[in-house]
Amino acid sequence: IYPMSAGSVTVRGQLGVLLDTNLGFEPEATGRENIYYRGTTMGRSRKQLREVEQEIIDFADIGEFIDLPMRTYSAGMCVRLGFAVSTQFSPDILLIDEVFGAGDVAFSRKAQKRMMAIVEQAGIVVIATHDLHLVDKICTRVIWLERGRIMMDAPPSLVVPEYYAHMLASQS
């Protein structure tokens, strides 16, 4: 969001980003058309997207709505389609920001299963979340940030209990 004021970033490998599952969608276009809009914003070719279009549609599980304008979709349907497109390809480096906060229970389980498969294949996964169970389950290193300061940088087995205790103490 903000331009860098100093330094540089070098990325070696395919970068995947799960920050906003609705990014690249056009509300007046159909879900099927939006597969291509979102996919091209992710750097995928029309050919690549055509090869996986049905897999994306099947994963999103929104039925005949796929050929209706997205403005007719519920928020959950938009999340399903956005997540399906965003996670169809496994990157080398994956950046995630709170993507499990929406959708029904069944889709949430399905999404977590797919995310775990991506995490296992990706070389590097950076996740911003408050879901301590997810952190404990998938992370090998946790950096606890508070007000821009690093509070702790260690394995989840050390950070999660400290963070949890801190949150309980700050609520009383």
Side-chain angles (χ1 to χ4, degrees), residues 135-151:
V135 167
D136 211 26
K137 188 175 178 181
I138 70 169
C139 296
T140 57
R141 177 181 175 195
V142 177
I143 301 173
W144 166 16
L145 298 172
E146 188 167 317
R147 294 185 175 96
R149 288 187 25 240
I150 296 175
M151 302 297 287

Side-chain angles (χ1 to χ4, degrees), residues 41-57:
T41 66
M42 294 170 50
R44 300 299 175 175
S45 70
R46 289 191 68 78
K47 182 180 181 287
Q48 287 176 308
L49 293 164
R50 209 172 11 262
E51 290 170 357
V52 297
E53 178 183 321
Q54 193 58 51
E55 290 175 43
I56 291 169
I57 292 168

Side-chain angles (χ1 to χ4, degrees), residues 111-121 134 137-138:
Q112 283 194 13
K113 185 176 177 182
R114 181 176 266 194
M115 282 304 307
M116 292 309 295
I118 291 171
V119 165
E120 288 173 15
Q121 292 178 347
L134 182 65
K137 188 175 178 181
I138 70 169

Side-chain angles (χ1 to χ4, degrees), residues 9-54:
V9 175
T10 302
V11 178
R12 291 185 178 92
Q14 172 99 34
L15 181 65
V17 180
L18 272 174
L19 302 176
D20 179 356
T21 55
N22 292 320
L23 184 67
F25 281 163
E26 169 55 51
E28 294 301 319
T30 67
R32 190 179 306 273
E33 292 167 328
N34 273 299
I35 289 171
Y36 291 88
Y37 295 157
R38 172 65 189 232
T40 56
T41 66
M42 294 170 50
R44 300 299 175 175
S45 70
R46 289 191 68 78
K47 182 180 181 287
Q48 287 176 308
L49 293 164
R50 209 172 11 262
E51 290 170 357
V52 297
E53 178 183 321
Q54 193 58 51

